[in-house]
Amino acid sequence: MTELFLAEGPALQRRVARIVGQEDSADVMQEGFLRLWSRAADRLALHPAYLAQCLRNASIDWLRRERRQQALRRDILPEQMACPPVEAPQAVIATDELRRLNAAIRAMPQQQRLVFLLNRRHGCTYREIAKATGLSDSTVEREIARALRACHGALD
């Protein structure tokens, strides 16, 4: 794949630049090569025409994504983009709630805290947590339920 990129890269980049523009062509090239690399699990020898088609498709996908984002930006009013101002009492309440939540998380047993943070902070699924920690799915579920009860208790 490296040899193919070195041999065909400059010509393909010019081709991609004609579709998406010079300033975005490197990003599209990288995205296209990443797609191709992830799909070529068996790392078979790739033909330059296949690579060119993959990069053309990545360019078209990029253009479609850009058009959707531009349409969204065009339809959003400036006041919708701005965050509402936070008033002093709200800021004090939010800071106090955050402090109590952090204290509740620090007070959790180590296993419960680990499971909770893997799920809530890092977005891991129960099954992923169970596999990574060696716990059963039901134990992970139980620990997260206990952690959530502790967090709700800290806020009441």
Coordinates of all heavy atoms in Angstrom, one line a residue, residues 7 12 22 29 33 43 72 90 95 98 116 126 129:
A7 N 3.7 6.0 -5.4 CA 3.7 6.0 -6.9 C 2.5 6.8 -7.4 O 2.7 7.6 -8.4 CB 3.7 4.6 -7.4
L12 N -3.1 11.4 -7.8 CA -4.4 11.3 -7.1 C -4.7 12.5 -6.4 O -5.9 12.9 -6.3 CB -4.4 10.0 -6.2 CG -4.4 8.7 -7.0 CD1 -4.2 7.5 -6.0 CD2 -5.7 8.5 -7.8
Q22 N -8.0 22.6 -3.4 CA -6.6 22.3 -3.0 C -6.5 22.2 -1.4 O -5.8 21.4 -0.9 CB -5.6 23.3 -3.5 CG -4.2 23.0 -3.3 CD -3.7 21.7 -3.9 OE1 -4.1 21.4 -5.0 NE2 -2.9 21.0 -3.2
M29 N -7.6 12.9 1.0 CA -6.7 11.8 0.7 C -6.4 10.9 1.9 O -6.5 9.7 1.8 CB -5.3 12.4 0.2 CG -5.3 13.0 -1.1 SD -5.2 11.8 -2.5 CE -3.6 11.2 -2.3
F33 N -7.5 7.0 2.2 CA -6.5 6.0 2.5 C -6.8 5.2 3.8 O -6.6 4.0 3.9 CB -5.1 6.6 2.5 CG -4.4 6.5 1.2 CD1 -4.4 7.5 0.3 CD2 -3.7 5.3 0.8 CE1 -3.8 7.5 -0.9 CE2 -3.1 5.2 -0.4 CZ -3.1 6.3 -1.3
R43 N -4.8 -7.3 3.1 CA -3.7 -6.5 2.5 C -3.3 -7.1 1.1 O -2.2 -7.3 0.8 CB -2.5 -6.5 3.4 CG -2.8 -6.0 4.8 CD -3.2 -4.5 4.7 NE -3.3 -4.0 6.1 CZ -4.5 -3.7 6.7 NH1 -5.6 -3.9 6.1 NH2 -4.5 -3.2 7.9
L72 N -26.9 23.6 7.3 CA -27.2 23.7 8.8 C -26.8 25.0 9.3 O -27.5 25.7 10.0 CB -26.6 22.6 9.6 CG -27.2 21.2 9.5 CD1 -26.4 20.2 10.2 CD2 -28.6 21.2 10.0
Q90 N -27.3 30.6 39.4 CA -27.3 29.3 38.6 C -25.8 28.8 38.7 O -25.6 27.6 38.8 CB -27.7 29.5 37.2 CG -29.2 29.8 37.0 CD -29.5 30.1 35.6 OE1 -28.8 30.8 34.9 NE2 -30.7 29.7 35.2
T95 N -22.0 24.8 40.4 CA -20.6 24.5 41.0 C -20.8 23.7 42.2 O -20.0 22.7 42.4 CB -19.9 25.9 41.4 OG1 -19.8 26.6 40.2 CG2 -18.6 25.6 42.0
L98 N -21.7 20.1 41.2 CA -20.5 19.4 40.6 C -19.5 19.0 41.7 O -19.0 17.9 41.7 CB -19.8 20.4 39.6 CG -18.6 19.8 38.9 CD1 -19.0 18.6 38.1 CD2 -18.0 20.9 38.0
F116 N -18.2 2.8 36.7 CA -19.0 4.0 36.4 C -18.3 5.0 35.5 O -18.9 5.5 34.5 CB -19.3 4.7 37.8 CG -20.1 6.0 37.6 CD1 -21.4 5.9 37.3 CD2 -19.5 7.2 37.8 CE1 -22.2 7.1 37.2 CE2 -20.2 8.4 37.7 CZ -21.6 8.3 37.4
Y126 N -21.6 -1.8 28.7 CA -21.5 -2.7 29.8 C -20.7 -3.9 29.4 O -19.8 -4.4 30.1 CB -22.9 -3.2 30.2 CG -23.7 -2.2 30.9 CD1 -23.4 -0.8 31.0 CD2 -24.9 -2.5 31.5 CE1 -24.1 0.1 31.6 CE2 -25.7 -1.6 32.2 CZ -25.3 -0.3 32.2 OH -26.1 0.7 32.9
I129 N -17.0 -3.1 29.2 CA -16.5 -3.0 30.6 C -16.3 -4.4 31.2 O -15.2 -4.6 31.8 CB -17.4 -2.1 31.5 CG1 -17.4 -0.7 30.9 CG2 -16.9 -2.1 32.9 CD1 -18.5 0.2 31.5

